[in-house]
Amino acid sequence: MFRKFINFWADFVVERRWLVLVASAIFALLALLPLKNLYFDNSNEMWFIKDDPALVQYDELLKSFGDNEYFLIGIEARPGDASVFTKEYIEMTYQLTEFLENHDFLKDVQFTDLTRERNGEKFQTDSLGIGGDLGGDFSGGFDQGFGEGTLNPEQPKRSHPIRAVTKVQSLTTYQVTQSKGDTLDVHDLFPESPSEFEGTPEQLAQAEALMKGETLVVGSLISQDFRHALISARATYLKGTINHHVAMVKEVKNFVKEQGFEEQGFVFHFTGNPEISANFFNSSMSDQELTLPLMFLLIIVVLVTSFRSVAGLTMPLLVIVGSVVTTMAFIAYLGWALNMLNVTLPVILMAVGIGDSVHILVEFYHHRNQGVEPKEAAKESVRHLFVPCLNTSITTGLGFLAISVSKLAPLREFGVVAAFGVAMAFLITVTLLPALMSFAKAKESQAQEDAEVGFVDRFTAKITDFDFKYAKPISIIGLVVVLASVAALSTVKVNANFVDYFKKDAPMRADLDYFNDTYQGGFFLEFILDSGKDKGVLDPQYLARAQEFQDYLESLDHTGQANSLLDILSKLNQAMHGDDPAWNKLPDSRELVAQYLLLYSNSSPTEDLTDLKTFDERRMRVSLRLVNQPTNQMKDFVQKIQTKVDQDFADLGVTITGMPVLYNNMDTYILQGIVQSFALALAAIFICFLVLLRSIKYGLLALIPSLFPILLAGGIMGLMGFYLNFSAMIIASVTFGIAVDDTIHILSRYMKVRATGVSRKEAVHVAVTETGKAITFTTVILFFGFAILMLSTFVPNIQLGFFAGVILLVALVASLTLLPAVMFLQKSKAHS
């Protein structure tokens, strides 16, 4: 029945070739329309599926305490300057602070549907505004709400234009808190207006002297030696977009360059979520500008070398271009975003999609050189290879689909979209390609006949005798390699830290090292402390317990200063006792706590404390600076804290969240996903083997050359000390799906020839020689296609390119040597 369908299909696409061409052209035009809707996203929530526990906790942090994404600019004092307290340094700080506060970073950014939520209420916005007090004036006191979940519900809701930066902290915005009789005096370290700053030695010396007593920020806003200070810009949190991050980072760096600050001797360092997002976006775009043209050029070179004709070049190109365009249109149609993962799809699909085209073209030219007319040769190519190509597409597609079991949303989407791309490549290959082949000239050039005989043909003609002669040594070597690889594979660890996705010499990595060394980190682990009742965080006993917890956190290795309401209250208590350092401790009564907060709010500070405690004063936040670590180490670090919380601080209602926790969960999901996706791919592909080969024996036999390269690659990864990351899921599942293609083509041809009654050795010889050229060409394309990814900026893509190339090359060698060797182990039956 299926054979009848194949015959019908072959006749239809060739005899109705004009209809096929017109339909293909219309389909291509329709596929181009959704492409304009593609956009790039690398936001936090992009990585997680809806209602993921880690993301829910992180969202709770945002709803309770406001925006949590910071762009940090660390600036070193000039060589020769004793400290940052120089006229030139402070003037530069004024200019950068004002630029961050007042520049419209969103003027060229497009938004479609922005929704924020406060206290269970959603505020829908248009492209220019957002509900609530975002971007408003916060000088009116700590009880004026800011951010999600902190707005006083009794306040009128006003609409303001979106601002990319909602808060800037620097030396020129810093306020010193001192007592003035029975009141608090909160005054600026430097004049609010740059025009009032004179920069006299006396003014600078006074500011430096005041800063020495500001224990809250020495070590965080300014370094201990006063030779480094930073500017912190809090970025608006917008779901599903990083456009404002990219714009802010780009324009700030352009401003630094335009003002000539670096030429004046100042050294700048950048980190934070916006910096990482901008680096992901810029690197992804530049990678595609490099890898896509190189991949296209590679395919052209291989096709020209293989077929030496215009038709042999253009026809496969149409297949891969068609599959890539329709796949990207599919992403746009589903409303999914481009990200650092799926931007590699065009390169991968170009490499994968060319395989079936090459097999069919080789078959077509084989028939042509036997004198078969173009139309009939096109039909015969489809008839002979429809089933093998269908099965290789199914196994490759299953390899991609297996990734969709991941709990990471981009990997789920990647698996679905890539499988769709493989299906489209197959459909175009067995539809458009034979229709185009049927137009080939009646008499082809001698070059095409010469292409039938070459090095590959001579090699495959001799390899069978070698496999037969050394069957046992080849099999033993294969077994030893597998056992050694499994042992080395057991040493591999997972790392999902985004910072480590960049090369070690990347400027962003160097800048992060600067923040680690100078400020003990550029990222924060966040803790939500829930007292369980309104005004609960004002209870001195609760505050004392929270202080014990914060002291514990700061005592841990690889941590910097913590920041919380506790530090503010201790500082206020010191200020109200003549600024005596001995009183830098928490007030001992609820009345004093309430009084201090009231005095503070009445002093018109720029800090309104809504990012440290909730409006109902039930919950408070502790932010702990961390030195960047791989996620496997961070995982142990967070677990250690969680154990301590469960044992000694259960009464504080602690929830641990922040970017490190999100990374930790990604670590877990990656490890689980590798096991689940590979097991699923293995089971699904084995079933395909059983259906295709109709034999458990041959099904198990087919797994040998397919699993061998995967295990070898894992062993190499362990020996080289590489971490597992999301690319490992693609490597394990996808390359397994692709690696079995060679085995399918060889075994399919072997069983077909074996059915004619020839001996096992002769059947293997025919299968290897007749498929050897095609699988070698496709492996070369795949090898160099994936190898192109090694030019990427991202370490996961580099690893994907390296290991996928190794796996596919080893899979070819295993199919031509290990598979026949195992089949020849029973030499007494080899001739039967």
Side-chain angles (χ1 to χ4, degrees):
M1 184 70 178
F2 191 54
R3 177 54 57 185
K4 289 182 179 180
F5 169 78
I6 295 173
N7 291 333
F8 163 78
W9 186 266
D11 290 337
F12 177 82
V13 296
V14 172
E15 296 299 335
R16 300 289 188 273
R17 54 189 182 178
W18 283 108
L19 176 62
V20 170
L21 294 179
V22 172
S24 299
I26 294 174
F27 183 77
L29 291 174
L30 293 176
L32 292 173
L33 296 178
L35 293 180
K36 66 179 185 297
N37 298 324
L38 286 174
Y39 64 100
F40 190 91
D41 182 20
N42 195 59
S43 55
N44 298 331
E45 70 275 2
M46 179 273 294
W47 287 94
F48 298 90
I49 59 177
K50 186 179 180 181
D51 299 328
D52 181 275
L55 189 60
V56 169
Q57 291 176 345
Y58 187 73
D59 284 343
E60 186 61 34
L61 176 74
L62 296 172
K63 292 175 184 177
S64 298
F65 303 102
D67 298 314
N68 187 50
E69 297 180 330
Y70 294 89
F71 180 40
L72 303 181
I73 307 173
I75 313 168
E76 301 181 33
R78 295 176 303 180
D81 290 341
S83 72
V84 297
F85 290 96
T86 65
K87 182 179 181 181
E88 293 78 12
Y89 191 102
I90 301 303
E91 286 178 340
M92 173 199 59
T93 304
Y94 269 119
Q95 293 181 60
L96 267 173
T97 301
E98 185 176 13
F99 183 78
L100 284 163
E101 288 179 330
N102 300 321
H103 185 73
D104 182 10
F105 295 105
L106 303 181
K107 60 182 182 300
D108 297 320
V109 176
Q110 298 297 319
F111 300 105
T112 53
D113 180 24
L114 304 177
T115 305
R116 290 166 70 99
E117 184 174 322
R118 288 201 185 98
N119 297 324
E121 295 184 72
K122 292 184 177 180
F123 295 83
Q124 186 68 36
T125 73
D126 56 21
S127 61
L128 295 177
I130 198 164
D133 278 350
L134 179 62
D137 179 8
F138 309 112
S139 61
F142 71 92
D143 61 345
Q144 279 190 275
F146 171 77
E148 299 177 339
T150 61
L151 180 67
N152 183 344
E154 297 179 358
Q155 287 183 315
K157 299 178 178 64
R158 300 183 297 277
S159 179
H160 297 278
I162 301 175
R163 293 177 56 191
V165 176
T166 56
K167 180 179 180 181
V168 180
Q169 290 180 307
S170 70
L171 289 177
T172 58
T173 65
Y174 185 73
Q175 292 184 313
V176 178
T177 302
Q178 296 176 317
S179 63
K180 191 175 183 179
D182 293 333
T183 63
L184 280 174
D185 178 26
V186 179
H187 59 272
D188 297 323
L189 179 68
F190 289 105
E192 181 177 355
S193 173
S195 61
E196 298 176 13
F197 173 69
E198 299 176 358
T200 63
E202 294 77 17
Q203 187 180 34
L204 293 168
Q206 182 183 16
E208 184 171 356
L210 285 172
M211 187 57 70
K212 288 179 180 178
E214 295 300 297
T215 55
L216 275 178
V217 292
V218 174
S220 55
L221 181 65
I222 188 170
S223 64
Q224 297 285 348
D225 61 5
F226 282 20
R227 286 195 47 78
H228 308 265
L230 62 80
I231 299 175
S232 172
R234 183 170 61 187
T236 301
Y237 179 75
L238 299 174
K239 281 185 177 292
T241 181
I242 61 166
N243 291 348
H244 56 314
H245 285 173
V246 175
M248 177 171 60
V249 172
K250 177 183 177 181
E251 293 179 36
V252 166
K253 291 183 178 180
N254 285 342
F255 180 75
V256 169
K257 184 177 181 180
E258 291 168 359
Q259 298 300 314
F261 293 143
E262 291 176 314
E263 295 175 2
Q264 297 172 30
F266 298 110
V267 179
F268 286 78
H269 305 275
F270 305 92
T271 195
N273 290 346
E275 171 72 2
I276 292 178
S277 296
N279 273 273
F280 273 127
F281 175 80
N282 295 329
S283 297
S284 296
M285 295 302 102
S286 62
D287 283 352
Q288 292 311 298
E289 291 174 1
L290 176 64
T291 57
L292 274 176
L294 283 179
M295 184 66 207
F296 204 72
L297 179 61
L298 168 68
I299 291 176
I300 290 175
V301 171
V302 173
L303 291 175
V304 169
T305 304
S306 303
F307 301 112
R308 307 179 191 179
S309 70
V310 175
L313 169 64
T314 56
M315 290 187 292
L317 289 181
L318 287 174
V319 172
I320 61 172
V321 170
S323 61
V324 168
V325 170
T326 52
T327 301
M328 303 311 288
F330 183 62
I331 295 176
Y333 176 77
L334 293 176
W336 291 346
L338 293 176
N339 53 61
M340 59 172 289
L341 180 59
N342 62 23
V343 292
T344 63
L345 271 174
V347 174
I348 294 175
L349 288 176
M350 287 170 75
V352 173
I354 198 68
D356 289 343
S357 300
V358 170
H359 278 284
I360 287 183
L361 273 174
V362 169
E363 186 77 11
F364 172 75
Y365 285 131
H366 175 73
H367 289 296
R368 289 290 297 117
N369 288 329
Q370 292 180 343
V372 181
E373 292 298 314
K375 291 180 69 172
E376 189 58 32
K379 293 179 183 179
E380 284 300 309
S381 300
V382 175
R383 290 170 185 151
H384 288 173
L385 291 178
F386 189 96
V387 172
C389 288
L390 174 62
N391 279 280
T392 56
S393 297
I394 289 175
T395 54
T396 302
L398 287 173
F400 280 118
L401 276 178
I403 302 174
S404 62
V405 302
S406 171
K407 291 184 179 180
L408 296 174
L411 282 169
R412 284 190 169 191
E413 295 174 5
F414 182 92
V416 172
V417 172
F420 173 84
V422 171
M424 289 305 304
F426 169 75
L427 182 62
I428 296 173
T429 299
V430 297
T431 304
L432 179 61
L433 184 58
L436 292 171
M437 291 191 306
S438 67
F439 285 99
K441 295 179 181 179
K443 189 174 183 178
E444 295 291 344
S445 67
Q446 183 65 37
Q448 290 172 6
E449 295 183 20
D450 294 340
E452 281 283 300
V453 179
F455 170 77
V456 175
D457 301 274
R458 292 192 298 270
F459 173 77
T460 54
K462 296 178 181 180
I463 192 67
T464 306
D465 289 334
F466 176 84
D467 296 337
F468 182 77
K469 183 177 180 180
Y470 298 103
K472 186 174 290 185
I474 292 173
S475 301
I476 292 174
I477 291 173
L479 179 60
V480 171
V481 170
V482 166
L483 294 177
S485 297
V486 170
L489 179 60
S490 63
T491 65
V492 180
K493 296 181 180 179
V494 183
N495 182 21
N497 190 324
F498 280 162
V499 174
D500 295 324
Y501 288 173
F502 292 87
K503 296 179 181 178
K504 290 185 178 180
D505 60 353
M508 187 193 74
R509 293 284 296 269
D511 282 351
L512 185 58
D513 289 340
Y514 164 83
F515 280 93
N516 288 338
D517 296 339
T518 308
Y519 300 103
Q520 285 294 293
F523 296 94
F524 296 87
L525 187 62
E526 302 286 354
F527 302 87
I528 302 174
L529 277 59
D530 189 346
S531 67
K533 58 183 179 181
D534 290 356
K535 308 290 184 181
V537 299
L538 305 186
D539 185 343
Q541 291 183 343
Y542 186 85
L543 289 172
R545 289 285 291 149
Q547 185 66 63
E548 291 179 31
F549 178 59
Q550 181 169 312
D551 292 342
Y552 161 74
L553 294 177
E554 292 181 328
S555 72
L556 298 172
D557 293 335
H558 307 297
T559 63
Q561 287 184 338
N563 179 44
S564 72
L565 178 66
L566 305 173
D567 304 298
I568 299 292
L569 290 173
S570 296
K571 180 61 179 176
L572 294 176
N573 196 33
Q574 177 182 340
M576 293 304 294
H577 286 84
D579 214 28
D580 184 353
W583 287 92
N584 190 354
K585 58 184 180 180
L586 292 169
D588 56 8
S589 71
R590 180 185 290 269
E591 291 72 20
L592 274 179
V593 172
Q595 180 182 351
Y596 288 165
L597 291 177
L598 179 62
L599 288 172
Y600 182 75
S601 67
N602 290 335
S603 63
S604 299
T606 56
E607 298 288 342
D608 58 17
L609 306 186
T610 54
D611 55 352
L612 299 179
K613 66 181 182 66
T614 54
F615 177 76
D616 57 10
E617 294 170 332
R618 168 178 169 167
R619 287 173 291 183
M620 59 177 289
R621 167 189 185 181
V622 177
S623 300
L624 178 67
R625 276 186 181 269
L626 289 181
V627 173
N628 184 57
Q629 304 175 63
T631 50
N632 62 310
Q633 297 176 23
M634 186 64 70
K635 209 171 182 180
D636 294 339
F637 179 81
V638 173
Q639 185 56 53
K640 177 181 178 180
I641 296 176
Q642 185 64 62
T643 301
K644 183 70 172 179
V645 167
D646 295 339
Q647 292 176 350
D648 299 333
F649 297 104
D651 55 317
L652 293 179
V654 178
T655 298
I656 308 176
T657 185
M659 292 305 300
V661 175
L662 295 182
Y663 293 158
N664 289 350
N665 275 43
M666 289 179 63
D667 181 300
T668 302
Y669 296 160
I670 287 172
L671 186 58
Q672 292 175 347
I674 289 173
V675 176
Q676 294 173 354
S677 62
F678 187 72
L680 180 61
L682 178 62
I685 290 172
F686 179 65
I687 293 173
C688 287
F689 282 155
L690 295 181
V691 173
L692 172 63
L693 305 175
R694 300 178 184 177
S695 167
I696 296 178
K697 170 187 172 182
Y698 286 117
L700 293 172
L701 189 64
L703 289 177
I704 294 175
S706 305
L707 287 174
F708 178 78
I710 305 293
L711 295 175
L712 177 61
I716 294 173
M717 185 174 288
L719 291 174
M720 296 180 69
F722 288 154
Y723 287 113
L724 290 177
N725 48 49
F726 64 77
S727 70
M729 290 187 63
I730 303 174
I731 294 169
S733 298
V734 175
T735 53
F736 178 55
I738 299 173
V740 302
D741 294 357
D742 296 345
T743 308
I744 289 175
H745 282 289
I746 290 177
L747 284 178
S748 296
R749 191 63 60 97
Y750 166 81
M751 296 184 69
K752 182 178 179 180
V753 176
R754 188 82 160 111
T756 63
V758 302
S759 68
R760 179 185 301 173
K761 182 180 178 183
E762 186 176 351
V764 170
H765 175 74
V766 173
V768 169
T769 53
E770 289 190 359
T771 63
K773 183 184 177 86
I775 65 175
T776 300
F777 283 161
T778 55
T779 299
V780 168
I781 293 174
L782 288 166
F783 174 80
F784 286 105
F786 278 101
I788 284 174
L789 292 175
M790 293 178 64
L791 300 174
S792 173
T793 305
F794 298 121
V795 172
N797 289 347
I798 295 171
Q799 293 180 2
L800 172 60
F802 174 75
F803 285 108
V806 169
I807 288 170
L808 295 171
L809 192 61
V810 173
L812 173 65
V813 175
S815 296
L816 296 178
T817 57
L818 186 59
L819 175 61
V822 174
M823 296 173 71
F824 290 151
L825 282 179
Q826 292 178 289
K827 290 189 178 181
S828 60
K829 297 182 180 180
H831 293 285
S832 61

